[in-house]
Amino acid sequence: QKEVEQDPGPLSVPEGAIVSLNCTYSNSAFQYFMWYRQYSRKGPELLMYTYSSGNKEDGRFTAQVDKSSKYISLFIRDSQPSDSATYLCAMTGYGGATNKLIFGTGTLLAVQP
Amino acid sequence: NAGVTQTPKFRILKIGQSMTLQCTQDMNHNYMYWYRQDPGMGLKLIYYSVGAGITDKGEVPNGYNVSRSTTEDFPLRLELAAPSQTSVYFCASSYSENTEAFFGQGTRLTVV
């Protein structure tokens, strides 16, 4: 079983739609959960950062973490063509086997104008 | 404000050749990472370092070597290049294991 599983996509939605991106993980020691956005031919950049369980909102973006289910989500409201990119979940923890940043496979999102 | 700098940006290598991918960061970060990204496969961790003089294997270390003699530099060495090493390589750095990682622009490597 992979440590981090992510819905593969690709995902195509019309402008203005609500987008839901998800990841599951297997190691309960992960404590820090992140979403990175990667535009074509660029390096990933941090979009959202969450510690432990709960929700975090930043403008049109909401990150949710459910540690009991080992499930994290990223919601994008009122999606825009400029949101078209690959979205990668990532997670890490304290020390031991989780002291490194592990990524999911990424979901390619296309927002159609 | 340079951040993480990778060189070269592109490289074509013949099977069996060797090369070093360079990575430098100017943020005084302790952690540095090397990932490879294949189409539809996300980022796979090759090696990482938690500080100067300390390195450890990631998910896919075979065929690669690293060193970390200074805080700033984390070169990735490919010995005996193989077509399976054709990929985009990203270097990243972070202050600690649970803080934001900053990425370089990537090196596109083709082995023919």
Side-chain angles (χ1 to χ4, degrees), chain A residues 63-92:
Chain A
Q64 288 186 350
V65 175
D66 181 350
K67 289 195 70 183
S68 63
S69 301
K70 299 190 182 71
Y71 189 86
I72 69 172
S73 300
L74 176 71
F75 297 96
I76 306 174
R77 292 184 299 281
D78 188 24
S79 56
Q80 302 295 308
S82 59
D83 295 328
S84 298
T86 296
Y87 290 81
L88 299 124
C89 62
M91 49 200 74
T92 183

Side-chain angles (χ1 to χ4, degrees), chain A residues 29-34 36 46 49-51 90-103, chain B residues 28-33 35 45 48-51 68 92-103:
Chain A
F30 286 129
Q31 297 281 346
Y32 299 89
F33 304 92
M34 305 164 212
Y36 282 77
L46 183 67
Y49 180 104
T50 311
Y51 169 66
M91 49 200 74
T92 183
Y94 286 116
T98 61
N99 73 335
K100 50 191 179 291
L101 192 58
I102 299 297
F103 283 83
Chain B
N28 201 32
H29 284 168
N30 297 311
Y31 276 64
M32 294 189 75
Y33 304 86
Y35 295 91
L45 184 63
Y48 68 106
S49 169
V50 302
R68 184 94 181 272
S93 74
S94 63
Y95 180 72
S96 71
E97 71 265 51
N98 52 39
T99 56
E100 178 181 0
F102 294 84
F103 283 80

Side-chain angles (χ1 to χ4, degrees), chain B residues 10-100:
Chain B
F10 304 93
R11 183 74 185 266
I12 298 174
L13 213 55
K14 292 184 178 178
I15 293 172
Q17 287 185 321
S18 301
M19 76 165 293
T20 298
L21 281 67
Q22 302 291 346
C23 178
T24 300
Q25 53 94 6
D26 63 358
M27 296 172 281
N28 201 32
H29 284 168
N30 297 311
Y31 276 64
M32 294 189 75
Y33 304 86
W34 274 107
Y35 295 91
R36 60 176 287 172
Q37 187 173 37
D38 301 312
M41 300 299 290
L43 291 164
K44 291 190 175 179
L45 184 63
I46 304 171
Y47 271 95
Y48 68 106
S49 169
V50 302
I54 306 169
T55 62
D56 208 347
K57 296 178 181 178
E59 299 174 78
V60 290
N62 291 344
Y64 307 94
N65 278 301
V66 294
S67 60
R68 184 94 181 272
S69 57
T70 67
T71 298
E72 295 78 20
D73 301 308
F74 190 42
L76 178 71
R77 177 84 176 160
L78 277 72
E79 305 281 2
L80 298 174
S84 60
Q85 293 177 306
T86 293
S87 189
V88 181
Y89 291 84
F90 285 101
C91 178
S93 74
S94 63
Y95 180 72
S96 71
E97 71 265 51
N98 52 39
T99 56
E100 178 181 0

